Amino acid sequence: MRKSICFLVSVFFLGHILAQSGDKGISIIPEPVSLKTVAGVYKLPSNIVIDAKGNKEVDYTARLLAKQLALATGHKVSVNNSASASIRLLLNKTSNPIIGDEGYTLDVRPTHIIIKANKPAGLFYGVQTLLQLMPKEIEGKAAAKNVAWQLPLVSVTDYPRFQWRGLMFDVARHFFTKEQVKDFIDQMVKYKFNLLHMHLTDDEGWRIEIKSLPKLTSVGAWNVKRVGYFGTFAPPAADEPRDYGGFYTQDDIRELVQYAKERFVNILPEIDVPGHSLAAVASYPELSCTPGAENYKVRSGEEIMDWSHPGGPVALLDNTLCPANDKVYEFLDKVLTEVAQLFPFEYIHMGGDECPKNFWEKSDAIKVLMQKEGIKTMEGMQSYFEKKVEKIVESKGKKFMGWDEILEGGLAPNAVVMSWRGMKGGIEAAKMGHGVVMSPTNFAYLDYMQSDDMVEPHVYATLRLKTAYEFEPLPDGVDPKFIIGGQGNLWSEQLYNVRHMQYMLWPRGQALAECLWSPKDKKNWDWFAKKTEKNFERMDEGQVKYSRALFDQIFTAKKDAKDSLQILLSTEVNGLDIYYTFDNSQPDNFFPKYESPLSVPKEAVMLKVITYRNGKPIGRQIDMPINELRKRAGLKIYGIPKNE
Ligand code: ACM
């Protein structure tokens, strides 16, 4: 017996092979720092015991694991302090300097599993990795039948690259309930995100109860439901009921904060001012500089802004708070008193983005203030506002943070910048010694389309999975100590329900998770694409929606030297075949296979394309009008003969 234990132990320790997750079917997102495998499996017993000595937080992690194990396996699962437990969650007695506060070591041995960490958060992340080592049915909503509940033998050492690993959820444009936000948290922690940024206020809704300002939610949380293309809707008639929306009571917020805390997630509240404030102005019109604001209503998606001006947005009605009005600062003091008490996180995000200045230019009160303060520009006026707001935030014991527009006209002394218009603002702020969170549109905007406009719900821009995966939050030449981390932003103008929210979030959210957690040299697109596909099966078990756009073809339209259209087809993932037709037939793998750039046959009106892998269709068929490709190539559009 002794001999066999010695043999097992030596095989386990000497026989480890350093691996990318992937060996033995292992597929973990985000990729761990180090993963070693050894031959063999650990079989989960029919009576699973989880040992969770430590504290309340560890006990909570153990109970979450127990709940999921019991539900999906149907085995008996208990949490108690047993030295012979099947799964042991242990806080290190002597701190392991390699893994820091959020890292862990995980060993799956032939006889049991041990996760060790310096802090409870590390045990929680170790558990997330452990779950991904289990059969996909672990994500199921009921006990799965005929599953071999076993795990590969591994030894993992893992810790995050960035401290701030965030996702922003815009609950202002469309309201999502407390339970839906909890579900969002449940999903994000699987990929080791630790920060939920809640965009709580905007033109379309004020979503947090402020007891001293009741109209913010009795008026400001409600508009008229419209579907179609947000931003183009007709203004609602005066008698249309304003019954679409909702808000979180303060009890709801406390419940969400606690729920998040138990899963090691901080919630960052955002109160977006001075722009994006129509819901506040409709509730309290005296906050506006503009006469007639008492007739303003919470926006229902009608056009209120002209975005065509290169100098910045021009408002068609004044959706801003007035920086020259003392009542605005009294208002913000009241709001921030309550917000600061509700959210334990050290930062409050005060927005600052896309503030139109054309109504400010007309305000006498602003002219007087600018003269008195020697302010020369409207950007200087916003900077004056931001500095005052920073003081209010700090008076509540919190740190002030805003979108990168807060740099314009001079950054408030202690501000932390969230860089969204590319990385430029973040680089500038970091060079000035300010903390920065990178969330650039070109890598991290999860509301953008994931594939071609022809098959995606229309949004004004595209962000493919592969591009999201290229996100590098730490620019060259910047002191890493100022780049706190990064986050993906999920704006909700076009999100009406949870299923579509999930469709937009995944798998791009998983790509960002790997950019934020895994070492840079562990990133590998081909391997990530494979893991993503495997993870789809887990998400199917968990009934979570996602986009399969990574299998779609990409159209590139060019005009050649003779002003003819050239069409290039490609795919994000390797190993796909592309089949196409120009004669309106539905393409499959009996039609021509794409090999080189295509010219369009005379009078063809449609290019239909589909991707295959190993003889099976895998991407969506995309029917692309030739005129659309001509437009993209900058060529004249044909008149199309009528279809008889
Ligand atoms: C933003 O996307 N307006 C921050």
Side-chain angles (χ1 to χ4, degrees), residues 431-471:
K431 293 210 159 143
M432 285 156 51
H434 289 255
V436 170
V437 173
M438 292 292 191
S439 61
T441 53
N442 46 335
F443 296 106
Y445 264 43
L446 303 177
D447 57 322
Y448 285 7
M449 293 182 292
Q450 314 183 59
S451 176
D452 202 283
D453 210 353
M454 289 294 132
V455 283
E456 285 294 302
H458 176 72
V459 183
Y460 56 89
T462 304
L463 171 66
R464 290 187 185 272
L465 179 65
K466 188 164 192 257
T467 312
Y469 191 70
E470 284 160 12
F471 181 34

Side-chain angles (χ1 to χ4, degrees), residues 49-65 78-83 85 87-91 115 123 127:
V49 179
I50 304 174
D51 175 18
K53 278 191 273 304
N55 57 27
K56 220 169 92 200
E57 286 169 290
V58 179
D59 187 63
Y60 204 82
T61 296
R63 284 180 199 285
L64 284 176
L65 173 61
S78 57
V79 178
N80 63 39
N81 292 355
S82 158
I87 303 175
R88 302 171 198 172
L89 307 183
L90 305 176
L91 284 175
I115 305 176
L123 295 178
V127 164

Side-chain angles (χ1 to χ4, degrees), residues 239-260:
D239 60 353
E240 279 187 87
R242 296 190 155 262
D243 54 6
Y244 182 62
F247 64 93
Y248 309 107
T249 65
Q250 296 204 347
D251 281 344
D252 289 339
I253 295 285
R254 278 186 278 269
E255 194 178 319
L256 280 175
V257 165
Q258 181 59 26
Y259 191 87

Side-chain angles (χ1 to χ4, degrees), residues 276 353-354 403 420 445 491:
H276 287 279
D353 58 322
E354 300 176 318
W403 298 111
W420 73 279
Y445 264 43
W491 298 102

Side-chain angles (χ1 to χ4, degrees), residues 23 168 179 218 223 274 286 382 395 447 542 548 622 643:
D23 291 22
M168 188 278 284
E179 293 309 321
S218 64
N223 63 3
E286 63 272 25
Q382 182 169 347
S395 76
D447 57 322
R548 297 174 59 87
I622 303 184
N643 193 1

Side-chain angles (χ1 to χ4, degrees), residues 9 54 79 107 281 297 380 567 643:
V9 167
V79 178
D107 287 293
V281 172
K297 297 275 186 271
I567 306 164
N643 193 1

Side-chain angles (χ1 to χ4, degrees), residues 532-600:
T532 296
E533 194 173 350
K534 276 195 83 121
N535 200 51
F536 286 165
E537 295 170 17
R538 305 179 79 84
M539 298 182 82
D540 287 338
E541 292 287 338
Q543 299 171 6
V544 177
K545 198 170 167 76
Y546 51 85
S547 163
R548 297 174 59 87
L550 80 159
F551 299 122
D552 291 346
Q553 55 280 24
I554 302 169
F555 296 83
T556 307
K558 288 194 172 152
K559 105 177 138 177
D560 69 11
K562 292 189 198 139
D563 267 4
S564 293
L565 179 63
Q566 287 283 300
I567 306 164
L568 283 71
L569 302 176
S570 57
T571 56
E572 280 183 273
V573 291
N574 291 325
L576 305 190
D577 298 319
I578 306 175
Y579 296 94
Y580 67 93
T581 68
F582 277 111
D583 61 4
N584 306 327
S585 310
Q586 299 296 83
D588 61 22
N589 54 343
F590 289 80
F591 283 89
K593 183 165 150 183
Y594 177 81
E595 306 284 0
S596 57
L598 304 174
S599 301
V600 182

